[in-house]
Amino acid sequence: MAAVIEQARQEPQQPSDRASTPVRAGRRRSEESRRAILTAAYELLAEAGYARLTVEGIAARAGTGKQTLYRWWPGRADVLLEAVTAHARQHIPLPDTGDHAADLHAFLAATFAAATPPTTDALRALMAEAQIDPAFGERFHDTLLRPRREALGTLLARAHTAGALAPHLTPATATELAFGLLWYRLLATHEPLDGQLATLLTRTLLR
Amino acid sequence: MAAVIEQARQEPQQPSDRASTPVRAGRRRSEESRRAILTAAYELLAEAGYARLTVEGIAARAGTGKQTLYRWWPGRADVLLEAVTAHARQHIPLPDTGDHAADLHAFLAATFAAATPPTTDALRALMAEAQIDPAFGERFHDTLLRPRREALGTLLARAHTAGALAPHLTPATATELAFGLLWYRLLATHEPLDGQLATLLTRTLLR
């Protein structure tokens, strides 16, 4: 949870970031509430699971009102989505050392290392919610899935330009193979996401 | 839907198949009800979506009682799971021609061709339900996911023995890559599952 809090500290919101979100309280007060709410959501998810996670519970734990929470997020899934997105941005750098295999391995290893409970619980809950609620599914895709794909796609496009991508693959299909395996293990087999998997993917996706 | 009905006709249940399920009505009557229920569940899913699918609605459409349905299945997700599993068994043969690339491509192409609405809607709903309800998740895994993985694993193990699998891959990891990509497109990107994808996977997984 320290990660989410740190993320909020390191990236103070600019007015333009929240242009579509009315902010009625002062900036400082809003940011404190926001951080407290993200932290509360993650803690409650870890303690009791998604089935028991409620907007009321998050607000109570954060010491804020339900109205404050609903001012910023449509519901519990969107709170978790913001917490997970901050966690991913914080823990998964996009290396560019010129060594394509080392960069890809580092990115994948950092991605897998960031996928520990309660982040994994949040990811499973969010993917499920996205299937049940298509409007949330679009926000999930735009906020987390697509930016993650774009990050890996940038790295793989450099490898492709250098002729280092495996034959028959494009940066887009290689990205899908990597995130497909990540999600399949998260959702279906619960097999470990570890350095060994990062090595296997690096060897499969590059020449 | 004809597929589900045909499947039920072609594979009459043996008493041992349903050893754990009490069957109180006559065999013929039970099989008719079972087929009607699977058909009704698929039709209602296609018409109104998973959010509106209820046990009551399935029973009414099938012209049977809720009690009959609950005698065989714990709920709506398990009815859909049986319909999807029958659909997969019916439409996805396991070829063994000795040409590993042709066999793999045929298996993947048949898998993707079988993934059309409402089967795709059912698959998304079942994967979501599996995240929310861990007990259903185990049944989903044992009934559909693992048997599908075993089928592809058998095919890839033959390729591996013949030295045709891509370096660094095992039959198990190659299977995860293929189904990972299938599920990622189903759940996340909604990109097409087509012959082009079968070709890309065949080239990636084999030498």
Side-chain angles (χ1 to χ4, degrees), chain A residues 86-98:
Chain A
H87 182 75
R89 269 201 308 255
Q90 171 80 1
H91 288 277
I92 311 169
L94 190 60
D96 185 9
T97 67

Side-chain angles (χ1 to χ4, degrees), chain B residues 27-124:
Chain B
R27 168 63 50 200
R28 181 179 169 76
R29 169 96 179 252
S30 294
E31 273 309 300
E32 277 173 9
S33 293
R34 178 176 163 275
R35 275 186 272 138
I37 288 166
L38 295 184
T39 301
Y42 242 44
E43 285 176 359
L44 286 172
L45 180 72
E47 288 168 21
Y50 188 68
R52 293 195 196 164
L53 187 70
T54 62
V55 165
E56 289 78 1
I58 297 169
R61 169 73 64 106
T64 187
K66 256 174 68 174
Q67 294 317 311
T68 300
L69 200 147
Y70 279 123
R71 198 188 305 157
W72 291 340
W73 297 280
R76 60 179 184 161
D78 290 271
V79 179
L80 278 187
L81 175 56
E82 185 161 335
V84 168
T85 303
H87 182 75
R89 269 202 308 256
Q90 171 81 0
H91 288 277
I92 310 169
L94 190 60
D96 184 9
T97 66
D99 179 336
H100 303 294
D103 286 354
L104 177 57
H105 190 278
F107 180 90
L108 293 172
T111 298
F112 298 157
T116 53
T119 298
T120 42
D121 302 304
L123 289 169
R124 290 186 191 106

